[in-house]
Amino acid sequence: MEKNERRTGTVSRGIRCPIIRQGDDLAEIVTTSVLEAAKSDGFEIRDRDVISVTESIVARSQGNYASVDAIAEDVRTKLGGETIGVIFPILSRNRFAICLRGIAKGAKKIVLMLSYPSDEVGNHLLTLDQVDEAGVNPYSDVLSLAKYRELFGENKHEFTGVDYVAYYEELIRSCGADVEIVFANHAEAILKYTKNVLVASIHTRERMKRILKNAGAERVYGLDDIMNAPVNGSGCNEKYGLLGSNKSTEDTVKLFPRECKSLVLDIQGRILKETGKHVEVMVYGDGAFKDPQGKIWELADPVVSPAFTDGLIGTPNELKLKYLADNDFKDLSGEALKEAISKSIREKDGNLVGNMASQGTTPRQLTDLIGSLCDLTSGSGDKGTPVVLVQGYFDNFTAE
């Protein structure tokens, strides 16, 4: 009987799970959900499959939450409770607004400095065309709120319909603090208003802290330094603090999960015991990809994956098939071309860095690539698939 040729490559499946609550045995739930999905849909677990668990249900099972009041107390203790400069936050109702409530409750006045035309993950206050037409230099010009309104008026986000300048201003006032809003792109500009600064950016935070300290700031903290230890019995994240948090209720944030390497190892071990297959497991948050229409980069978590098994360390080591077809084997076609390319793949070096035949392959960490795939698969709404099974990711053109 002739063997059927394999016709599929990588497959990403969202796995439905029960609603997770604090204290649930997440390793057991994930393992059972994946195995029941395999049985129900008629697929097999294979070696090097990747089971990915969204950070949200990990944090929920850990009960890792903090209240607005806990945030306020931590901010007050660390930054003095008077005038606090808050620089370069992202524009987000879900990610930052609830944190800003806590920050505002921990101060008498907030000087909020927004980057423009966009925040660091691509949410735009303005378009570059607007900035150009106004004759403004975003690299040097510091704008007051009055000047911003004079030049640009009201600007609502394309997708959310929110004017984040007005939204953040009203939110701060509603928490009992005075507020002044300025627009700039160099951290030192905040020191004209206060020497106590909270760096609210995500991926540039360490550089911003260094710049401010060197420029004479007296107290400098980042969001990663707030809620990095429990406050009155709250949750915390020792490494990331408020970074990676999400709104849970009007008065509570869900923090990024705490140590979870033990979780991924537990799931890996359970699957091995049940199936005899060695899978990889990771926890994932926001993916890293740009929306060409809304321009957002998406990555509002400090990392794509806070925990993963060792088989996911590294970057892809792949040959570019179209390069081989157009260059090394340009005179071949049909079965001869297929066999020549397959032979190249089977004999490829263990490290293709610098090899022209690998140009155009994606030079990113495996966890960032797979995590982005999983984030797109699971979505952030009502799909009910907080676990994603990725199969065939480590296969290539020669796999049968």
Side-chain angles (χ1 to χ4, degrees), residues 319-385:
L319 294 170
K320 196 74 169 180
L321 297 193
K322 66 182 180 183
Y323 180 91
L324 295 174
D326 292 345
N327 291 273
D328 296 33
F329 309 121
K330 61 183 178 182
D331 297 325
L332 300 179
S333 61
E335 283 299 317
L337 176 59
K338 177 181 177 181
E339 181 52 38
I341 289 179
S342 297
K343 185 173 185 293
S344 294
I345 292 172
R346 287 192 290 265
E347 296 176 355
K348 68 183 176 183
D349 292 336
N351 185 348
L352 293 171
V353 173
N355 188 322
M356 286 299 289
S358 69
Q359 68 174 331
T361 57
T362 308
R364 291 170 59 185
Q365 296 293 319
L366 289 168
T367 49
D368 293 342
L369 290 164
I370 298 170
S372 297
L373 170 63
C374 293
D375 188 26
L376 288 167
T377 301
S378 62
S380 57
D382 57 7
K383 287 185 173 62
T385 55

Side-chain angles (χ1 to χ4, degrees), residues 51-109:
I51 297 173
S52 299
V53 184
T54 182
E55 59 82 22
S56 176
I57 64 170
V58 179
R60 286 168 63 190
S61 69
Q62 293 175 343
N64 201 21
Y65 296 88
S67 68
V68 166
D69 288 340
I71 295 171
E73 182 170 335
D74 208 20
V75 167
R76 190 180 302 110
T77 298
K78 290 172 177 172
L79 285 144
E82 297 295 324
T83 299
I84 297 174
V86 179
I87 70 169
F88 306 150
I90 64 171
L91 307 175
S92 173
R93 294 168 297 173
N94 174 46
R95 290 285 191 172
F96 184 67
I98 187 76
C99 296
L100 184 57
R101 284 191 61 211
I103 296 165
K105 290 185 73 172
K108 291 182 179 178
K109 180 178 179 179

Side-chain angles (χ1 to χ4, degrees), residues 29-289:
I29 291 172
V30 171
T31 301
T32 300
S33 296
V34 170
L35 294 178
E36 288 181 348
K39 182 179 179 181
S40 173
D41 287 13
F43 61 86
E44 295 182 355
I45 304 299
R46 304 172 186 152
D47 286 323
R48 299 217 77 188
D49 285 355
V50 182
I51 297 173
S52 299
V53 184
T54 182
E55 59 82 22
S56 176
I57 64 170
V58 179
R60 286 168 63 190
S61 69
Q62 293 175 343
N64 201 21
Y65 296 88
S67 68
V68 166
D69 288 340
I71 295 171
E73 182 170 335
D74 208 20
V75 167
R76 190 180 302 110
T77 298
K78 290 172 177 172
L79 285 144
E82 297 295 324
T83 299
I84 297 174
V86 179
I87 70 169
F88 306 150
I90 64 171
L91 307 175
S92 173
R93 294 168 297 173
N94 174 46
R95 290 285 191 172
F96 184 67
I98 187 76
C99 296
L100 184 57
R101 284 191 61 211
I103 296 165
K105 290 185 73 172
K108 291 182 179 178
K109 180 178 179 179
I110 298 293
V111 181
L112 183 66
M113 193 165 83
L114 300 175
S115 55
Y116 73 97
S118 70
D119 67 18
E120 67 172 326
V121 298
N123 289 300
H124 276 61
L125 284 172
L126 307 164
T127 66
L128 284 169
D129 288 339
Q130 285 177 288
V131 173
D132 292 342
E133 290 167 5
V136 171
N137 184 344
Y139 299 103
S140 60
D141 292 350
V142 178
L143 306 178
S144 66
L145 178 59
K147 188 64 177 178
Y148 171 88
R149 291 299 189 197
E150 176 191 331
L151 291 172
F152 305 113
E154 180 184 63
N155 291 275
K156 294 184 177 181
H157 191 279
E158 179 179 6
F159 291 156
T160 66
V162 174
D163 178 338
Y164 280 96
V165 177
Y167 177 54
Y168 281 175
E169 180 182 25
E170 292 164 7
L171 187 153
I172 293 168
R173 292 193 191 284
S174 73
C175 294
D178 290 335
V179 58
E180 184 171 358
I181 299 180
V182 295
F183 304 82
N185 287 307
H186 49 285
E188 306 97 310
I190 197 66
L191 299 180
K192 174 184 175 182
Y193 305 90
T194 178
K195 303 292 185 182
N196 302 316
V197 186
L198 179 62
V199 176
S201 61
I202 304 163
H203 308 294
T204 64
R205 62 188 184 275
E206 295 304 330
R207 178 171 178 264
M208 294 302 107
K209 291 180 197 178
R210 172 175 55 79
I211 288 172
L212 287 165
K213 289 174 182 177
N214 291 341
E218 294 176 1
R219 303 186 197 186
V220 180
Y221 291 89
L223 288 181
D224 54 324
D225 302 309
I226 306 300
M227 301 310 304
N228 60 356
V231 175
N232 298 327
S234 72
C236 70
N237 189 297
E238 294 85 350
K239 186 174 183 180
Y240 296 119
L242 281 176
L243 293 178
S245 62
N246 294 86
K247 179 179 179 179
S248 175
T249 70
E250 293 302 320
D251 298 302
T252 310
V253 296
K254 177 202 65 62
L255 300 168
F256 212 47
R258 302 174 77 175
E259 191 285 319
C260 43
K261 183 64 178 277
S262 58
L263 172 69
V264 299
L265 292 173
D266 191 0
I267 295 170
Q268 184 182 57
R270 288 170 186 254
I271 293 292
L272 180 63
K273 181 179 179 181
E274 292 292 332
T275 68
K277 302 299 181 181
H278 184 89
V279 301
E280 304 298 341
V281 184
M282 63 181 285
V283 175
Y284 70 96
D286 267 356
F289 42 82

